[in-house]
Amino acid sequence: MIIALNNKCNLTKQEFLKYQEELEKLSTKYKLILCPTFLNIAHYNLENVELGAQNVSPKAPGAVTGEVAAIQLKEEQVKYCIVGHSERRNYQHETDEEINQKIMRLLEQDIIPILCVGETKEEREKQLEKSIIEKELEIALENLTDEQKQKIIIAYEPIWSIGTGIIPTNDQIKEMFKTIKQILPNNKVLYGGSANEENVVLLKEIEEIDGYLLGGLSLKPEKLKIFIEKLEN
Ligand code: PGA
């Protein structure tokens, strides 16, 4: 089981240092991956948690102002990197083609991409949820060898669930996992979107889930501890 923590754009340096003291106390048999802001990556000091990033440039190194290159992440001990998060697709207008380039840059540096896919509320209402994630996967994984594809972790994150407190039914999640696993039978697939220390009791009934991508909960170490305990027992 993988538990990836997406801090998004939260925590000042001082807050992050205190936060890490709390994370350091977490003991679990699961793999923990912390994805802080780029600046906080430089202050990472944990041994029980692996390091991830939230983004990477599709083009760098080079003349791309404001970007961070995969090789630079590698130097900072980054082992994983989120790509295609819906917030970036939405606010930064990131395309599937760019996401494909980002995956390439990461794999060149042996950094494992955590590729986010998911449908909007409107797409689900039109019953387009499966075709949407199939298209996202198809373009994001274009020109990758089977060996490269297998390295990628997929995170199914229904956009209508992120930060809303609403989660899909277990049957809905199972359907989407089935769709992903038909395309990528050997990949780890995470669930993300309002997972918390209460609904984990329901979510853990879904055998197909290989782990979680946690946003809001990642910022609350006490609740995160309860989440992990409930998952483990
Ligand atoms: P959430 O965010 O857990 O706050 O819904 C998940 C994510 O955006 O990765």
Side-chain angles (χ1 to χ4, degrees), residues 14-213:
Q14 289 312 321
E15 287 166 347
F16 184 70
L17 292 173
K18 267 177 96 179
Y19 167 76
Q20 286 193 117
E21 285 173 19
E22 295 303 313
L23 288 194
E24 202 174 15
K25 295 181 202 152
L26 288 179
S27 107
T28 170
K29 59 185 181 202
Y30 301 146
K31 182 194 282 294
L32 296 174
I33 303 170
L34 174 61
C35 305
T37 62
F38 279 139
L39 289 172
N40 281 340
I41 281 176
H43 308 302
Y44 159 80
N45 62 15
L46 294 171
E47 281 178 9
N48 59 333
V49 181
E50 294 196 68
L51 187 59
Q54 298 174 18
N55 184 34
V56 67
S57 167
K59 295 206 177 81
V64 273
T65 303
E67 293 288 318
V68 174
I71 193 168
Q72 294 159 342
L73 295 177
K74 175 89 176 172
E75 278 181 334
E76 298 297 327
Q77 319 308 323
V78 167
K79 304 268 188 318
Y80 299 85
C81 182
I82 297 171
V83 282
H85 191 280
S86 62
E87 286 153 13
R88 295 199 58 85
R89 291 179 189 260
N90 190 9
Y91 306 137
Q92 268 75 33
H93 309 293
E94 215 168 86
T95 64
D96 290 313
E97 287 76 9
E98 279 168 332
I99 292 162
N100 173 256
Q101 291 300 306
K102 290 180 183 211
I103 290 175
M104 297 284 193
R105 298 292 84 76
L106 292 169
L107 292 175
E108 283 162 11
Q109 299 300 330
D110 282 324
I111 298 174
I112 298 177
I114 302 176
L115 168 63
C116 301
V117 295
E119 80 287 357
T120 62
K121 188 165 176 280
E122 294 71 30
E123 285 160 349
R124 182 165 276 277
E125 278 164 4
K126 291 185 194 148
Q127 300 181 342
L128 293 173
E129 66 275 13
K130 287 185 197 160
S131 57
I132 288 294
I133 63 164
E134 281 165 355
K135 181 183 145 279
E136 286 178 337
L137 288 174
E138 189 191 326
I139 304 176
L141 304 179
E142 213 170 303
N143 297 325
L144 264 67
T145 64
D146 286 345
E147 199 190 328
Q148 286 176 316
K149 281 183 195 169
Q150 283 184 23
K151 292 185 181 154
I152 298 173
I153 298 172
I154 307 297
Y156 169 58
E157 299 207 301
I159 297 167
W160 48 278
S161 182
I162 295 175
T164 60
I166 302 165
I167 59 165
T169 65
N170 283 13
D171 283 346
Q172 286 174 324
I173 295 176
K174 281 185 191 182
E175 272 296 299
M176 299 305 273
F177 270 59
K178 203 169 125 198
T179 305
I180 296 168
K181 295 208 173 199
Q182 266 163 2
I183 301 169
L184 298 164
N186 300 315
N187 291 58
K188 297 264 182 244
V189 186
L190 315 182
Y191 170 77
S194 293
N196 63 32
E197 77 290 0
E198 284 169 14
N199 57 32
V200 65
V201 186
L202 257 178
L203 291 168
K204 73 185 267 195
E205 287 172 10
I206 307 172
E207 280 175 16
E208 292 85 343
I209 292 182
D210 299 309
Y212 295 87
L213 180 53

